[in-house]
Amino acid sequence: MTATVPPYRRIAEELRRRIIAGELTPGDRVPSTRRLAGDFGVAIATATKALAVLRQQGCTVVRPGVGTVVAPRATVAPIRAADGELSRERIVRVATAVADAHGLGELSMRRVAAELGVATMSLYRHVPGKDDLILLMIDAALGEERLPAVRPAGWRAGLIISTTLLWRLFRRHPWLAPAMSLTRPQPAPNGLLLVEWVLETLAPTRLDRRQRLYVHILLFSFARGIATALEPEAEALRETGVGSDEWMGSLAPPAALSTEALPRFAELVESDDFDLDLDLLFRFGLARLLDGLDGWLNRTG
């Protein structure tokens, strides 16, 4: 007698069929869990498990602010009876995908277990708790890119490399910056490697050990400060569908203040030539910070 196929696997097979048939092509958005639940008459948790199977098979990926989409080179290997051995690395990978797509506030051990299609208690054999999971996620995210094996000439070039790498990771994972503490830094090994890079980059300068660490904290705080806008913006986009450019374009001086009271602001609004691009803001701010550090290092007396 043939065993009954679980509903979540039937959904995964149907979506996989659509990918094979070309009905869903690379980059196309996959129906949301709510849409799947309605279309197939199942619970949200069942639809979530179906999407988790597709991700584990390489058919789909999660894009922050967009949702689940067909992978650039979606694989269509048959879905196995078992989804693979549960491991710490697999738990961290799925937890990161949840946080990327839905924000850190939606992350829970239960949510990760549902994505993996396992019992919640089974996660605790690999990860003691949510705080430990977040630390592992931070370390994994910071380890996604490596600093160059050959250090560039000059402290400025080295600091641009390390701070820009950090910004890219913050950009890729909008939850990462808010998750990292300034006053109580988490002991993530890959984070410590980044600190070491900055300290070594500044070693040839006249700065003492304490000052070098202050420079690292300053640059980290700058990148993290701008990056803390990423997760709220992604959440606002998911909820309203209105992008930051569109929202900024709707701004006008408060009715209580005339354009005479705010002539410069009114001029800026009327010109309509300012875009609040966070990447441009990051590059502008980093350059100005390094200009200031350069002037300080070259100061005589």
Side-chain angles (χ1 to χ4, degrees), residues 11-12 14 30-31 40 47 55 66 80 88 95 101 133 135 186 194 233 235 244 247 262 268 298:
I11 297 171
E14 170 57 22
V30 175
F40 289 89
R55 282 199 301 276
V66 177
R80 301 184 297 273
R88 174 179 291 185
L133 176 58
L135 176 58
Q186 297 93 333
L194 186 63
E233 172 59 25
E235 182 179 354
S244 60
W247 188 87
L262 301 168
L268 183 64
N298 291 323

Side-chain angles (χ1 to χ4, degrees), residues 80-160:
R80 301 184 297 273
D83 291 335
E85 292 296 326
L86 193 61
S87 66
R88 174 179 291 185
E89 291 73 20
R90 189 169 166 223
I91 292 169
V92 170
R93 189 165 58 248
V94 171
T96 299
V98 170
D100 284 347
H102 306 287
L104 201 61
E106 294 296 316
L107 181 70
S108 67
M109 299 295 275
R110 178 174 297 186
R111 178 71 178 267
V112 174
E115 292 278 348
L116 288 164
V118 299
T120 303
M121 291 306 297
S122 65
L123 301 186
Y124 292 98
R125 295 198 298 269
H126 304 275
V127 182
K130 182 178 175 181
D131 289 344
D132 302 273
L133 176 58
I134 292 175
L135 176 58
L136 292 169
M137 291 165 59
I138 290 172
D139 190 51
L142 292 176
E144 287 179 357
E145 294 193 28
R146 294 296 180 187
L147 291 159
V150 178
R151 191 179 299 273
W155 61 265
R156 183 170 183 133
L159 295 184
I160 289 174

Side-chain angles (χ1 to χ4, degrees), residues 162 209 231:
S162 59
R209 290 188 295 269
E231 189 173 36

Side-chain angles (χ1 to χ4, degrees), residues 15 36 47 76 91 130 134 159 198 202 212 216 221 289 295:
L15 293 176
L36 291 174
V76 291
I91 292 169
K130 182 178 175 181
I134 292 175
L159 295 184
V198 175
L202 293 169
R212 292 173 210 161
H216 162 70
S221 301
L289 282 172

